[in-house]
Amino acid sequence: MQKNKIIIFLLFGLMCGLVIAQEIPPIETYSPKDFGAENQNWSISQSKDKHIYIANNKGLLEFNGASWTLYPSPNETIFRTVHVVDNLIYTGCYMEFGFWKRNEQGTLTYTSLSNELEVPVIEDEHFWNIISLDNWILFQSLNRIIIYDVTNASYKVIDSKTTLTKIFKVNETIYFQKLQDGIYKIENGSPKLVTNQEIVKNNIVVNIFNNKDELLIQTQEYGLYQFTNNKLG
């Protein structure tokens, strides 16, 4: 009987170990020495072929699962954001935004949209976020949102007199916060006020989620708020 108990205990331990091994995937850590860049990364995105792209202080990092490649930024400044759409890798940095595409030799080449579109870039403007929606790519700085239409290579600009903290994509709708103003959404390329209640006017919104077909708004310091019947609660 004692022997049977020992066998059962060993089998149970083995099964637990297998379950844990299945639930926790292997984790591999890479240092700046491994990927050949600096230690500060701002944004990450993945392509359909499972390549990883990272906006790093030193440039655009590409990881194919086995090796790293570093592509310096076009104006030798810090990359702030990266976002992959199909076979294009969109990036934003200091006073510059555009996309990367793989050439016949297998390396990435850069096209400056800010130059091609002749967008008048604001002095000291950094592009912090990129979001895609249907045929549009949105580049967000702290001062404005540039909406690029890939079908006809045109663009619109949404300006703000106050700081734009971030843009959010929720249920195929783009939302953003103007500090000291409120939360807006984009309709037909133009901003439309969603709410200007005090809690979202003077507190930074860090995320907006969908919750049972209603908005759940997360603030930096005061927690979560449900937006129901045009009111925060």
Side-chain angles (χ1 to χ4, degrees), residues 2-25:
Q2 185 67 23
K3 184 177 180 181
N4 289 339
K5 287 183 178 180
I6 293 173
I7 292 172
I8 292 171
F9 178 77
L10 291 174
L11 288 173
F12 178 76
L14 178 61
M15 290 175 64
C16 290
L18 289 172
V19 170
I20 292 172
Q22 289 176 353
E23 290 182 350
I24 303 175

Side-chain angles (χ1 to χ4, degrees), residues 26 29 33 48 88 122 126 176 209 218:
T29 303
K33 184 178 179 181
K48 291 180 180 179
L88 300 180
I122 300 171
H126 290 256
F176 61 93
F209 308 93
Q218 181 184 3

Side-chain angles (χ1 to χ4, degrees), residues 131 133 168-175 184-187:
I131 286 181
L133 177 64
F168 311 93
K169 181 179 175 182
V170 185
N171 288 351
E172 302 305 306
T173 299
I174 302 297
Y175 295 88
Y184 288 76
K185 64 180 178 179
I186 298 177
E187 285 190 358

Side-chain angles (χ1 to χ4, degrees), residues 104-164:
E104 294 179 354
Q105 289 73 42
T107 58
L108 297 178
T109 57
Y110 182 73
T111 298
S112 173
L113 282 174
S114 49
N115 288 340
E116 283 200 352
L117 298 173
E118 298 182 349
V119 178
V121 180
I122 300 171
E123 188 66 29
D124 292 330
E125 185 172 26
H126 290 256
F127 291 93
W128 290 92
N129 291 291
I130 301 171
I131 286 181
S132 58
L133 177 64
D134 298 329
N135 296 320
W136 295 277
I137 310 295
L138 292 83
F139 300 89
Q140 177 242 326
S141 71
L142 297 180
N143 310 100
R144 56 187 180 158
I145 300 170
I146 296 172
I147 306 171
Y148 169 58
D149 188 338
V150 301
T151 59
N152 56 21
S154 64
Y155 74 95
K156 293 181 179 180
V157 178
I158 294 177
D159 290 302
S160 178
K161 294 180 180 179
T162 64
T163 301
L164 297 175

